[in-house]
Amino acid sequence: MEEKKGFIGEFKDFIARGNVLDMAVGVVVGGAFTAIVTSVVENLLTPIIGLAIPDSTFAEWAPGGFGVGAVINAIITFLITALVVFSIVKAVNKMTPKKEEEPAPEPEPEEPKPTTEELLTEILAELKKQNKK
């Protein structure tokens, strides 16, 4: 019989898994990386694009009270972040050795299936046995 674990026991098992630790590291590093990308976009790219809008920064551009500049800034940040993450994943995949595929096991030879005549003969023999009883 399986031992019931309480909430704390289940939580300990959950935390002890390697995947949770890997995910936590990924989130922390991702947060730091996002800060870098955001800084590049806000402090380098946005001012360059903002040159088209006189007397204002691009992120503050809000014609009619709508924060169009902030939305465009967020979109640019997302696209740059996605591009960099894609590039990193692609590079890591190239450097990671591929696992050799194990050859598929050969299927076991199937026993020959009985013919229709053999099946009918077996059925007839079975019926004869039942009628003798």
Side-chain angles (χ1 to χ4, degrees):
M1 186 171 186
E2 199 172 301
E3 182 181 323
K4 262 193 163 181
K5 294 183 180 185
F7 181 80
I8 301 296
E10 289 179 18
F11 183 69
K12 285 180 184 178
D13 289 346
F14 174 74
I15 293 298
R17 291 185 197 156
N19 300 5
V20 174
L21 185 59
D22 293 343
M23 185 177 66
V25 169
V27 168
V28 170
V29 171
F33 184 73
T34 300
I36 293 170
V37 173
T38 301
S39 178
V40 167
V41 170
E42 290 178 357
N43 298 315
L44 298 177
L45 298 178
T46 301
I48 292 171
I49 296 171
L51 292 174
I53 305 167
D55 301 328
S56 176
T57 64
F58 182 68
E60 295 171 353
W61 183 44
F66 294 100
V68 176
V71 172
I72 293 172
N73 192 34
I75 292 170
I76 291 171
T77 301
F78 169 77
L79 291 175
I80 292 172
T81 303
L83 177 66
V84 171
V85 169
F86 173 75
S87 301
I88 290 171
V89 169
K90 193 167 177 135
V92 168
N93 285 342
K94 275 187 178 179
M95 292 187 303
T96 305
K98 293 181 181 176
K99 292 182 181 177
E100 291 184 23
E101 291 185 22
E102 295 179 17
E106 293 182 23
E108 294 181 22
E110 293 182 21
E111 293 182 24
K113 295 182 180 179
T115 63
T116 306
E117 292 170 356
E118 292 172 337
L119 290 173
L120 289 173
T121 304
E122 287 179 25
I123 292 171
L124 183 60
E126 197 64 37
L127 287 172
K128 285 181 181 178
K129 283 182 190 176
Q130 288 180 358
N131 284 337
K132 288 183 181 178
K133 290 183 181 182

